[in-house]
Amino acid sequence: MLKNKFAVLFTLSVFSFPLSVFSQSHISTQSHQGTVTNVAYLDNGDGSVFSAGNDGFLIKWTEDGMGEHYQISDLPIKMIARSPNKNEIAVYETDGASLNRVSVWNWKTLTRKFAFRFTDSLTSLTYSAKGTYIICGTASVSGAFFLNSTTGSIVRNKVKGNTGVVNYIQTSDTEKSAVMYSPKGNLTYYNLQNGEQKAKFNAEYDLNQFCLFNNGVFGAGERDGNIYIIQAVTGTTIGTFPAANPILIGSNKSKDLYYIINENRQFKLYKIANDRNKAVIAPELQRTFSGLKTSESIVCAALADEQIYAGTNSGNLYQFDYAQAERVDVQMALTDKMYEKIYDVATIGEDFYFLTPNSIFKSSYESSNIDKKAVNSGYTNLIPYGEDIILWSKDTKKAVLLLELATGKQTQLFVPEGSLQVLKLYGETLIDVEANSAVHIFEIPSAQKRQLYQGTSIQDAILYNENDLYVAKSSGTSPNVPLIYVNVKTQETVPLSMKGNVAYSLTYEPSKNQGEIYGITIYTNSSTKKLTTSIFAYKPKTKSSRYLLSITDEDSEAFANLSDNILYTNMGKSQIRSYNLSTRRDFLYKRSASMPIKTVRNTSRMVVLNRDGSISWYNPTLNSVLSDWYLTTDGNWFEF
């Protein structure tokens, strides 16, 4: 329709109900934004397949080719595992550094059941055969952890001692035993009833993509351009076959091993069969497919009964069978790039303006007309300036432009000396933060720019009045506070007494004359010893601060936005929350399929910009979504 050693239990106490209880998914064939990282199928399930990506989305693909999209994280999802109960899915999210989290989701209700944070990165993620446990392999001496899939607690002594690093774990159908593969070259069997080791075999070391097939009789993995096939009950290597960067596709339910080789906009599917469970037969080409886009390649795949689902580095998903054929088939992706991403949104009076990769246009909920105002020449952010627009690009040194909407005239205001992190407008004055190390002021009428403050780990800045500047920073740098005052005229700096490891997202509404500055700070709670993210209010007149809203978690990308005496925030990442400063009413809005990253409003409507580039319309006084809009690649609104 148009229009390190030990797991740390991690609980996100955002609100008094399960995370994302107020939400809805989005049905379409839209591809992932970025690489598909994992594909998961459940034998004896409902025939559906899940894909996950670096975009934080899970997509459930049904047999009719449609995908149910839902974003569960702002981090890349690296592993997924489906529960035998069919409704739950466990995912491993990571920033590639210190944040390593396993979360469990009920797909029917789109709610998060529980979550864990690990000190070390994960090497494997799987459910036990009956779904009793979620088994997590970690890159630590401790190795594997068993989690109770119902309570979320750690189950101790399922395996006596430490397993060490293992990158493949599978239980028997009865859950009485388990087998684990270690990159050290060990294949170990455990009795899960008493935790004792049953058997341990030497096998090939450092195998990547390790998997079992043919009811656990054979194992396979890849190393240095070769596929190694081992006898799983002895660890003996029974076959070695050369293969350039293969994508292995193994399943306990399949008697054969399949793998994919990417070749210049084509990919080839091979099969390694076995002879009465005693030997394996050299790889045989099954199918050749063309149709991949330039630089596109298959990066992950899974067997799903008679089909194979394969994900690519460009976000697409392909579905095909593995029946042998000599012809070259042109394979069309199951997915497509259906929508254009909206980069930013702003209001001028009662009108909403939208910035896309190619244009700036005006639109409204009531009319849904798209009124193109200008061409966008590679900018990612916009700021209203009277009846005109200021264009800039975050994390770049791209020149800041003034665009006159009436004439299309563009005037270069200034070129940042360092990467531009923050740009804010106060009347005729721009304040910027460059390279997290300097704050500048730029007077638009005189085109004069000067530096106001220089330091390290600067996060944000706000001009309280023409003489008073407040700078948010990390308290780990001198001065050791998260908020400082700077006199614009004298450039005198004063550290302010406020707790916190860091402050950011400062906001102030001069027209309401509340006399308070609002922002977000992260600190360690003195009683719980856990990181807490809070919205604070700082009153310059009394030099005092207070806290309005808090979550027991670290959310370094949250925003605080003050509009008409109401604070809006996405603290907790999943939903928009508002706090009326006059009535102290705390209000939560339902979310769409994607996570919110910005809010703007006029007197009657609020627009939420979502992480996937869609927008959601709201009546600001009601919590339900009026409608979700996606901009199609041909320039029209598509409404859900």
Side-chain angles (χ1 to χ4, degrees), residues 50-180:
F50 277 85
S51 64
N54 282 337
D55 56 3
F57 270 86
L58 279 178
I59 307 177
K60 181 181 181 180
W61 299 96
T62 52
E63 292 176 306
D64 62 0
M66 296 302 292
E68 183 182 4
H69 298 60
Y70 190 72
Q71 187 177 23
I72 64 165
S73 180
D74 60 340
L75 298 173
I77 300 171
K78 294 303 183 183
M79 300 177 191
I80 54 178
R82 296 188 64 178
S83 170
N85 71 15
K86 304 179 185 180
N87 295 327
E88 294 175 5
I89 185 165
V91 306
Y92 167 47
E93 321 155 45
T94 180
D95 62 358
S98 60
L99 205 162
N100 298 285
R101 179 169 58 213
V102 170
S103 55
V104 179
W105 291 79
N106 184 311
W107 193 256
K108 290 185 70 176
T109 60
L110 297 178
T111 56
R112 193 173 73 180
K113 191 175 180 181
F114 48 77
F116 299 84
R117 283 184 69 164
F118 289 89
T119 304
D120 300 278
S121 59
L122 262 64
T123 54
S124 63
L125 178 68
T126 188
Y127 273 90
S128 57
K130 293 182 178 180
T132 307
Y133 312 107
I134 299 168
I135 314 174
C136 307
T138 64
S140 69
V141 174
S142 298
F145 289 88
F146 287 71
L147 310 178
N148 186 303
S149 64
T150 300
T151 66
S153 59
I154 297 173
V155 182
R156 306 185 189 280
N157 300 318
K158 289 305 296 181
V159 173
K160 291 183 178 180
N162 297 323
T163 67
V165 178
V166 289
N167 58 14
Y168 182 85
I169 304 170
Q170 182 178 293
T171 70
S172 62
D173 290 343
T174 62
E175 296 186 345
K176 293 180 180 181
S177 64
V179 58
M180 303 184 189

Side-chain angles (χ1 to χ4, degrees), residues 303-497:
L303 280 169
D305 292 333
E306 301 300 317
Q307 299 289 313
I308 290 176
Y309 285 78
T312 77
N313 59 343
S314 62
N316 285 317
L317 200 72
Y318 289 85
Q319 177 190 15
F320 48 89
D321 63 60
Y322 45 84
Q324 190 171 27
E326 294 183 1
R327 65 183 183 274
V328 176
D329 293 314
V330 178
Q331 185 68 29
M332 301 298 293
L334 190 65
T335 49
D336 194 13
K337 185 179 183 297
M338 302 173 63
Y339 310 119
E340 196 71 83
K341 188 171 185 176
I342 297 173
Y343 286 159
D344 204 357
V345 57
T347 56
I348 297 180
E350 292 296 297
D351 297 320
F352 289 96
Y353 285 78
F354 301 88
L355 180 68
T356 74
N358 301 310
S359 66
I360 302 167
F361 65 90
K362 182 174 73 172
S363 191
S364 68
Y365 178 74
E366 285 71 24
S367 71
S368 73
N369 292 328
I370 292 178
D371 182 7
K372 185 175 178 179
K373 293 296 184 180
V375 173
N376 178 26
S377 54
Y379 285 88
T380 61
N381 303 83
L382 75 166
I383 300 174
Y385 176 59
E387 295 298 314
D388 301 321
I389 292 288
I390 293 172
L391 294 170
W392 66 287
S393 289
K394 185 177 175 64
D395 298 327
T396 74
K397 294 183 181 180
K398 195 174 176 68
V400 176
L401 294 184
L402 173 61
L403 171 65
E404 296 180 16
L405 291 175
T407 64
K409 179 183 176 182
Q410 294 185 358
T411 303
Q412 180 175 300
L413 298 180
F414 68 92
V415 178
E417 299 164 38
S419 180
L420 192 55
Q421 271 79 51
V422 176
L423 186 66
K424 295 179 177 179
L425 177 68
Y426 300 95
E428 299 287 325
T429 303
L430 286 168
I431 295 291
D432 79 13
V433 175
E434 297 180 20
N436 294 114
S437 62
V439 180
H440 299 92
I441 187 170
F442 180 84
E443 303 289 352
I444 297 176
S446 63
Q448 296 297 308
K449 181 186 179 186
R450 60 190 175 98
Q451 182 174 289
L452 297 181
Y453 178 78
Q454 186 172 14
T456 55
S457 300
I458 301 171
Q459 304 299 315
D460 200 1
I462 195 166
L463 194 62
Y464 186 70
N465 55 44
E466 62 180 12
N467 193 51
D468 299 326
L469 176 76
Y470 289 85
V471 178
K473 57 182 286 293
S474 166
S475 62
T477 59
S478 182
N480 303 116
V481 293
L483 191 66
I484 62 173
Y485 163 79
V486 179
N487 186 296
V488 173
K489 293 181 179 179
T490 67
Q491 294 194 321
E492 173 194 10
T493 64
V494 179
L496 302 177
S497 179

Side-chain angles (χ1 to χ4, degrees), residues 224-260:
D224 299 331
N226 289 290
I227 296 175
Y228 293 85
I229 309 299
I230 66 174
Q231 175 61 252
V233 294
T234 64
T236 305
T237 301
I238 59 173
T240 305
F241 307 106
N245 302 311
I247 306 301
L248 303 190
I249 315 169
S251 168
N252 220 32
K253 301 293 184 181
S254 172
K255 72 181 187 68
D256 303 315
L257 176 74
Y258 295 87
Y259 66 93
I260 289 171

Side-chain angles (χ1 to χ4, degrees), residues 565-576:
N565 211 34
I566 297 175
L567 269 170
Y568 295 93
T569 183
N570 65 341
M571 207 166 55
K573 302 178 181 179
S574 186
Q575 295 170 260
I576 295 296

